[in-house]
Amino acid sequence: MAPTQKAEAAGKGRKTQVLGKRPGGQSGKSTPESLPKRSKLTTGSPPVAGTKVKQGKSKPSLSHVDDDIDKENVDPENIDPNGGDVDDDDEFLPDEDPNEIDEAAGENVRFNMDPEPAEEDEDGTKAAIQEQEVKAWMKEAEQNDQLKSLGAEERQARIEECAARYTFMLTEVKRTAQGIPKGDYFIIEQGRRLPFTFYWWSYFVALSVEVVVTELMLSLPEAVKVILGGPMTTEELMMLPKKWRGATFWAIYADVMFDAADDTEAMYCGSGSSADGASTRLGWYEKVIDGRVKPKPILHEKMLAMGNITANFRVFSVFNIFTTAKPYVMVMEFLSSILLQSTSLIEGFYLKPSTLAMIKRATPPGLREAKHKRVNKAAQCLQGLYHRRPKGSIICSNCQTSDSKFWFSAIPGMPFGKRICCNCWGYRRNNPGKDRPANWEARLDRENALGKPPPKGGKCPGCNRVVQKWLLPSAGDWKDEPGRQRWECKTFSRKPTDKLCFFSDAMVARKAISGKLKHSKPAINTPCPGCGKLFTKGCIKLPDDPFFHEPVRQRHECVSCSKKPTNLLAG
C-alpha cells in the first residue's frame, strides 16, 4: 500500500485507541484534573535545587502574544528564528548564491559541504561511548507504563503508521523540489519566492526517501513511534520521554505549553544540536524561564519568559554526534514540526507563501485538527544547512585512501553520509551494483608485475582449454592465493579454488561427449539400452557422474538407468 493510501486508511478506516482521555469525555481543552499538578514556572520536572523561581506581575496570555513577532526590527541574518544552536565553526547560510556552488542534482551529487562531527574522534572511542549513552536513553524511553494498555496489534499498526507518515511527508517535499528547475535559482526575483534555499533544494532532490526514512526511524524509540503513529492528542504527547538533563547527544524535542490564565495550549518543535549536546539548548530555556538570562527576540523564548506559561519539554528523537551528519538532524526537525503541526501558517521572512503551501501538502492526512497555537515561526528549509568543514583528511569508505580531488556520496540517495573517492565512484558508475575492490591498487600492481597476457590461442593453466581472452582471478579471496596469481581463461578466473572440480577431467570429458550426443537422442518408444523399457517423452537422459566416463555408458538412457551404476543396471 502506498504511503498516502496507508495514511488515509489509518485516518479514516481504523478506529484508534486514545490513551489518557480526559475526565468527562472532553477532548478539547485541558483541565487541571487531567494533567499533572505543576507550579507556575516548571518544565514538567522538579526544579533544580538552589534554583530561584521568578515571581512577578501577571503576564499576558498566549492569545495576546503578537503573531507577527518575526516582523520586529531584528536582523534575521544574525539569529536562528527557531532558537537552534549555532556553533562558531558552523556556517549559517540563509541565502546562498548558486553560482558559487558546484553541485548537480541526481543520485550521485558531489557535495563540497562535508559535515564532520562536532569533535575529532580519530579512534572512534568517543563515538562508542556516546552510542552506549544513546542506547541507555532508548532503553529507558521504552519503559512507558502508560502505553501498556494498548494491544500488540494496535501497537504494531501505530508503528507502521508512524513510518508511513514520515514517508508521506518526505515524499511530498521531494516531489516539490523535483518540480523546481535548477535555473530558477539563477533568477533573483524567482529565487526569492521558492520554498527552499539552494542547498536544501539540492539536498531534497538528491536523497532517497526510503533510505533516509529508514535511517530516521532508527532515532525513534518504539514507544515514541506508538505515540507519533496514533491520534497524537495532548495527553499522549505528554507521554513522550522527559529525560534530557546531561544529554550529550543531539536530539529533537517538543515543548507542549499551557497557559493557566485562559486554558490555551501551544506547540513548539526544535532541535538541540550544539557541540555539547541537547542539554545545552534545553538548559538555556530553563534559565529564560527562571529569569536568569534575557530571552532572545524569538516568539518561543518570549513565551517562556511569561509568568503564567508552563513549559513541558519532551525529547523524542536522538542522534549520535560522532556518527550522524547534522543535515539529517535538521530534516528530522523539519518533518517533525510538520507532523506536530507546530509551524505557523502566517507568512513571514522564513515562511514564504510557497513554503506554506508545501507544508500544507506535506501534512499527513487523517491528523486531528490542531487547536493549539503554532509557535515555530520559521521553516527549517529556508534557514540554510549547517555544515562543518573537515578538520582532517577525508577517508574513502571503500578503499581507505585520502588522496582524491573530489568526493561523492557512498550510499546512493543519502547525501552527507559516508564518502568515496572519485576513482571508486567512477568504478561504480561503470559497473552498476558493484564496488571497486578494496585491494584494487594491489591488483593493478600484480597485473603490472605479470606483464602482458599471453597471446590468444594459448592454453589456460587451470583447465587446459584454448583461451581467447586472458583475465586475472576477479572475485573472492582466491585472487591473492600464490597459485592463482597468474593469467587464466575468462571462465576459470571467476571460479574459487573449491569450485575448480567443475574443470575436472571427468567433467571435461562429459561436456565433450554431451556435445557429440546432443543431436542424437533416440526416438520415443525406442528400447532403453540399459533396461529395455521403451523411452517416453521426457525420460531420455545422459548417465550421471561418477560412472558417466565408462565407455559403455556413453549413450542416452532412461531416467532410472541414468542414475544407477553399471553393476545395478540389470535391476
Side-chain angles (χ1 to χ4, degrees):
M1 184 182 293
T4 306
Q5 298 173 344
K6 188 171 183 182
E8 291 175 349
K12 298 179 180 179
R14 178 171 59 85
K15 291 184 178 180
T16 306
Q17 181 179 350
V18 180
L19 299 176
K21 191 173 182 180
R22 293 178 174 133
Q26 296 179 0
S27 58
K29 297 183 179 181
S30 58
T31 60
E33 292 80 12
S34 64
L35 299 173
K37 293 183 178 180
R38 304 178 298 269
S39 59
K40 267 195 171 184
L41 293 174
T42 64
T43 59
S45 56
V48 182
T51 302
K52 191 174 182 180
V53 180
K54 181 180 178 181
Q55 300 290 345
K57 298 181 180 180
S58 60
K59 301 291 182 177
S61 63
L62 292 178
S63 58
H64 297 91
V65 178
D66 183 11
D67 286 334
D68 296 328
I69 194 169
D70 60 335
K71 297 180 181 180
E72 294 180 3
N73 187 20
V74 179
D75 183 7
E77 302 288 344
N78 297 327
I79 65 170
D80 178 0
N82 276 343
D85 300 317
V86 182
D87 296 335
D88 293 337
D89 294 334
D90 287 328
E91 293 190 15
F92 184 59
L93 306 173
D95 296 299
E96 297 86 352
D97 182 4
N99 294 290
E100 299 177 357
I101 306 171
D102 187 8
E103 296 187 32
E107 280 296 320
N108 294 292
V109 177
R110 185 179 70 192
F111 285 96
N112 291 330
M113 303 189 306
D114 296 307
E116 288 294 312
E119 300 178 19
E120 295 188 62
D121 186 25
E122 297 179 357
D123 57 355
T125 303
K126 296 180 181 179
I129 294 175
Q130 185 159 110
E131 188 65 27
Q132 294 299 322
E133 181 183 353
V134 170
K135 289 181 179 179
W137 184 90
M138 288 270 194
K139 185 177 180 180
E140 184 174 344
E142 294 295 342
Q143 300 173 357
N144 194 325
D145 296 335
Q146 296 172 301
L147 298 175
K148 290 183 178 181
S149 60
L150 291 176
E153 295 183 359
E154 176 70 15
R155 289 178 64 92
Q156 185 60 33
R158 286 190 174 201
I159 292 173
E160 294 176 359
E161 178 64 19
C162 176
R165 287 174 176 176
Y166 276 95
T167 301
F168 176 82
M169 290 186 291
L170 190 56
T171 300
E172 290 298 319
V173 172
K174 179 179 175 66
R175 184 180 291 114
T176 302
Q178 289 176 329
I180 301 175
K182 182 179 180 180
D184 287 359
Y185 282 93
F186 293 87
I187 305 174
I188 296 178
E189 292 300 325
Q190 179 70 14
R192 290 176 178 173
R193 295 193 295 266
L194 296 176
F196 314 101
T197 63
F198 183 74
Y199 277 131
W200 274 104
W201 173 82
S202 301
Y203 180 35
F204 284 129
V205 169
L207 61 78
S208 167
V209 173
E210 182 180 358
V211 173
V212 173
V213 170
T214 300
E215 291 294 322
L216 295 181
M217 289 298 101
L218 297 178
S219 68
L220 300 175
E222 182 175 317
V224 172
K225 296 178 184 177
V226 171
I227 296 174
L228 297 183
M232 293 197 303
T233 61
T234 303
E235 290 78 10
E236 289 197 9
L237 292 177
M238 290 292 290
M239 298 178 188
L240 291 171
K242 304 177 182 179
K243 183 179 179 181
W244 58 265
R245 300 181 188 280
T248 60
F249 44 73
W250 289 337
I252 310 298
Y253 60 88
D255 185 7
V256 186
M257 292 178 283
F258 299 95
D259 184 359
D262 55 5
D263 196 23
T264 55
E265 303 173 5
M267 179 69 67
Y268 175 81
C269 181
S271 64
S273 55
S274 69
D276 298 325
S279 59
T280 303
R281 168 55 48 187
L282 296 176
W284 169 267
Y285 290 153
E286 276 199 339
K287 295 179 181 179
V288 173
I289 293 173
D290 297 340
R292 288 177 285 172
V293 295
K294 184 179 179 181
K296 298 177 183 177
I298 301 170
L299 176 59
H300 181 224
E301 294 197 15
K302 285 191 173 184
M303 292 173 63
L304 292 178
M306 298 167 59
N308 54 328
I309 301 300
T310 302
N312 297 275
F313 300 118
R314 297 293 186 266
V315 175
F316 57 89
S317 176
V318 295
F319 301 87
N320 189 324
I321 291 179
F322 301 98
T323 59
T324 306
K326 188 176 288 188
Y328 292 97
V329 182
M330 300 172 70
V331 76
M332 185 62 171
E333 178 187 357
F334 176 53
L335 298 179
S336 298
S337 64
I338 298 177
L339 181 62
L340 296 174
Q341 302 181 73
S342 64
T343 303
S344 174
L345 299 181
I346 301 176
E347 181 182 346
F349 184 85
Y350 289 99
L351 280 175
K352 301 177 182 178
S354 58
T355 307
L356 292 175
M358 178 197 64
I359 291 176
K360 292 179 181 179
R361 289 194 304 269
T363 302
L367 295 182
R368 68 184 182 93
E369 183 181 357
K371 297 181 180 180
H372 54 255
K373 180 179 178 64
R374 300 167 181 254
V375 182
N376 287 82
K377 304 295 291 184
Q380 197 71 31
C381 59
L382 287 174
Q383 300 183 55
L385 282 175
Y386 296 150
H387 69 280
R388 185 179 296 275
R389 300 292 182 182
K391 292 185 177 181
S393 299
I394 305 175
I395 304 298
C396 175
S397 61
N398 186 51
C399 66
Q400 309 304 316
T401 185
S402 59
D403 184 15
S404 180
K405 186 176 181 180
F406 301 111
W407 298 93
F408 300 85
S409 300
I411 303 176
M414 193 171 181
F416 298 109
K418 295 181 180 179
R419 287 147 290 178
I420 56 176
C421 63
C422 56
N423 291 331
C424 290
W425 179 81
Y427 183 93
R428 178 186 292 176
R429 182 183 59 181
N430 297 329
N431 302 273
K434 297 181 180 180
D435 287 330
R436 182 168 172 251
N439 57 353
W440 184 259
E441 301 296 336
R443 175 181 172 82
L444 294 178
D445 294 340
R446 186 170 69 251
E447 183 174 343
N448 294 332
L450 290 175
K452 294 182 179 180
K456 294 181 180 180
K459 291 188 176 181
C460 174
C463 61
N464 203 33
R465 291 192 295 183
V466 177
V467 182
Q468 297 299 326
K469 184 176 181 180
W470 294 93
L471 292 173
L472 289 172
S474 57
D477 298 331
W478 65 88
K479 60 178 171 286
D480 294 324
E481 296 178 4
R484 301 298 297 276
Q485 295 183 8
R486 62 191 181 187
W487 294 100
E488 298 171 349
C489 70
K490 182 178 181 180
T491 304
F492 197 85
S493 65
R494 295 179 178 178
K495 294 289 181 180
T497 304
D498 57 348
K499 299 294 183 182
L500 292 182
C501 58
F502 177 81
F503 299 95
S504 63
D505 294 338
M507 184 59 69
V508 174
R510 178 182 178 86
K511 285 182 172 293
I513 297 173
S514 300
K516 294 179 181 179
L517 301 177
K518 183 176 181 181
H519 302 291
S520 61
K521 283 188 178 182
I524 304 299
N525 296 327
T526 303
C528 172
C531 63
K533 294 181 181 180
L534 298 180
F535 285 122
T536 59
K537 186 176 181 181
C539 74
I540 306 173
K541 289 189 65 178
L542 292 173
D544 293 337
D545 283 332
F547 42 84
F548 176 86
H549 60 278
E550 298 177 7
V552 72
R553 302 298 297 278
Q554 297 180 10
R555 63 192 181 189
H556 288 96
E557 299 172 349
C558 67
V559 175
S560 179
C561 291
S562 67
K563 296 181 179 181
K564 295 180 181 180
T566 305
N567 60 341
L568 296 180
L569 284 182

